[in-house]
Amino acid sequence: MSQSKLDDLFDYTEERCLWQFFSRTWDREENIEGVLGQVARLLTGQEPLRGTPQERLFYADALAMANDVRERSPWASQVNHEEIQFLIDGLKSRLVDTVITRSTNRELNHHLY
């Protein structure tokens, strides 16, 4: 895996994707997993999941992201299924670390939420 590819994905996500900043920890985790799972499916040519309203919501965010990644990153069309999955897993980990683990927003885990 190329660190620069992961950096590209992370920078794009930080700049363009508001779904990572929902108000609760569980919301953030759910969005990171759901949207990036759909992105991985789209970038590897798999059929996206659209059976539930939640899956369709994740798909809508993932479609925009996958299209942008393909358009902005020449490497996106040159990597194989395993590398895409490795990059997406790395991005998930990095986002969880940044927007949950190291977040200073105390409302993320507030007991009244």
Side-chain angles (χ1 to χ4, degrees):
M1 177 194 75
S2 169
Q3 186 63 39
S4 67
K5 292 174 189 169
L6 180 55
D7 291 343
D8 288 347
L9 287 173
F10 182 77
D11 291 346
Y12 170 83
T13 305
E14 285 287 277
E15 178 186 319
R16 308 279 301 179
C17 301
L18 295 177
W19 47 259
Q20 65 180 317
F21 296 117
F22 273 42
S23 60
R24 296 170 200 89
T25 294
W26 66 268
D27 280 331
R28 291 181 181 197
E29 290 170 341
E30 189 175 79
N31 282 313
I32 289 168
E33 187 63 36
V35 173
L36 293 180
Q38 294 278 47
V39 169
R41 294 181 74 82
L42 290 166
L43 291 177
T44 58
Q46 297 176 55
E47 187 66 28
L49 304 174
R50 293 180 282 201
T52 68
Q54 189 72 14
E55 288 172 340
R56 288 190 295 275
L57 177 65
F58 293 149
Y59 169 70
D61 287 329
L63 183 60
M65 183 175 178
N67 287 338
D68 283 350
V69 167
R70 285 185 193 114
E71 188 177 299
R72 294 171 181 233
S73 305
W75 54 261
S77 63
Q78 301 167 355
V79 294
N80 62 34
H81 178 90
E82 291 78 24
E83 188 171 4
I84 290 289
Q85 194 57 56
F86 195 73
L87 287 167
I88 294 297
D89 289 344
L91 179 57
K92 287 178 186 179
S93 294
R94 198 162 170 187
L95 285 172
V96 166
D97 182 55
T98 302
V99 302
I100 298 172
T101 305
R102 293 187 297 133
S103 175
T104 58
N105 181 351
R106 292 192 284 174
E107 290 182 4
L108 286 178
N109 297 307
H110 194 279
H111 72 282
L112 295 176
Y113 280 1

